[in-house]
Amino acid sequence: MRTVTIRHSARHVLLILLAAIFAIPIYVAFVAATHAPRDLLGSFPVVPGNQLGHNLYHALVGGFPNTSPVGVMMLNSLVMALGITIGKLVVSIPSAYAVVFFRFPGRMVAFWAIFVTLLLPVQVRFFPTYEVAAQVGVLNSFQGLIIPLIASATATFLFRQFFMTMPTELADAARIDGAGPMTFLWKILLPLSRPNLAAISVIEFIYGWNQYLWPLLATSGSRHQTVVVGMQSMISAATEFSVPQWNLVMAAALLAMAPPVIVMLIMQRWFIKGITAGIN
């Protein structure tokens, strides 16, 4: 009994240490965002200051010279993240549904062809995708930011795994009651998939929000610039002042982190339920 207690205590201590290590950069950013620029010269302050509201407002509305305000970039990121999330769901749900509940030649070949794309790094596909997007004429637009990223082998695989847990008797009963394939999908299967939908939506939203390389390639102006890409421009602009404006950069970083954190906190219960349901 004593050995078990020691093991549990050691695990908790280890988890607390790991959490502290991950929290240190966030705390540094928070402290920097609460001070005036001159306070960050020399020794770094350990205690938060009283300039947080001012710095957040200035970064959100004002920004830096030759850069968009963070509020505009966050709106672009939000449109992109929501578009990618919805697009991935629209593409992956019918794909997984067809693979699980329909019998047609090459069904498993089609699924494994989708699954194998997980082995190919996303960065390898960017340059061919960029060439196609340029030929179609969707660069520097929300269509160019969203459409090339909506195909998702991960979401298709997760939905397939969940759909395979559904008993075949459920589909047979729906067929006997006169429900067609689309009726079975919309009125029976998707309501049962709410936890899985929530979990995949959170994953894909964070994936879309944190995109850096593709928005960097697909946009050349500030009109459609996302906040993750815009952070690099803000860092460059902050160093051009006589006193570097690191406080505003850190305030912008806090604003950029806020939406994924909020989404995760709101959907946490459904997220955990959906992930564990997929595992089981």
Side-chain angles (χ1 to χ4, degrees):
M1 187 68 180
R2 184 177 180 181
T3 304
V4 174
T5 304
I6 293 175
R7 288 178 180 176
H8 282 293
S9 300
R11 291 174 184 173
H12 281 84
V13 171
L14 179 61
L15 290 175
I16 292 172
L17 289 176
L18 292 175
I21 292 173
F22 282 106
I24 287 174
I26 299 175
Y27 181 75
V28 170
F30 173 76
V31 171
T34 61
H35 284 274
R38 294 188 180 277
D39 296 339
L40 304 180
L41 299 177
S43 60
F44 189 84
V46 179
V47 180
N50 58 358
Q51 299 292 316
L52 179 61
H54 175 269
N55 292 336
L56 289 176
Y57 177 81
H58 193 285
L60 189 65
V61 179
F64 291 101
N66 301 321
T67 64
S68 300
V70 176
V72 175
M73 293 189 290
M74 289 180 66
L75 182 60
N76 293 337
S77 293
L78 181 63
V79 173
M80 179 181 175
L82 289 176
I84 290 175
T85 302
I86 295 172
K88 283 179 177 290
L89 293 178
V90 170
V91 170
S92 60
I93 290 175
S95 302
Y97 180 59
V99 168
V100 175
F101 290 98
F102 289 85
R103 299 292 182 267
F104 55 89
R107 176 172 62 95
M108 293 308 300
V109 174
F111 168 73
W112 285 111
I114 296 173
F115 183 76
V116 165
T117 60
L118 289 173
L119 306 178
L120 188 65
V122 177
Q123 292 78 7
V124 175
R125 306 196 302 265
F126 276 172
F127 290 103
T129 304
Y130 178 85
E131 185 176 356
V132 173
Q135 293 175 355
V136 176
V138 295
L139 296 178
N140 293 310
S141 66
F142 286 119
Q143 296 94 319
L145 288 173
I146 295 171
I147 294 176
L149 299 181
I150 62 175
S152 176
T154 303
T156 302
F157 174 74
L158 292 176
F159 274 115
R160 174 188 178 268
Q161 295 304 106
F162 180 79
F163 289 163
M164 289 182 66
T165 63
M166 297 291 103
T168 56
E169 292 81 3
L170 188 65
D172 295 337
R175 192 180 300 110
I176 293 173
D177 289 341
M182 296 307 297
T183 301
F184 174 68
L185 174 63
W186 287 104
K187 293 189 176 181
I188 300 176
L189 201 57
L190 286 183
L192 294 174
S193 306
R194 288 175 184 171
N196 204 49
L197 277 168
I200 295 175
S201 297
V202 171
I203 293 172
E204 301 302 350
F205 180 86
I206 296 175
Y207 166 83
W209 183 272
N210 289 333
Q211 281 296 310
Y212 175 77
L213 184 56
W214 178 247
L216 184 65
L217 294 174
T219 59
S220 57
S222 60
R223 181 178 179 184
H224 298 94
Q225 191 176 58
T226 61
V227 67
V228 176
V229 176
M231 286 297 300
Q232 180 62 41
S233 301
M234 294 187 67
I235 292 173
S236 300
T239 58
E240 295 179 0
F241 290 83
S242 57
V243 178
Q245 305 291 304
W246 295 118
N247 58 329
L248 298 183
V249 174
M250 294 299 103
L254 292 180
L255 291 170
M257 289 188 294
V261 172
I262 293 173
V263 169
M264 187 63 198
L265 290 176
I266 293 175
M267 304 292 290
Q268 182 179 12
R269 182 171 64 90
W270 287 95
F271 177 79
I272 295 174
K273 187 176 180 181
I275 292 297
T276 55
I279 295 175
N280 295 333

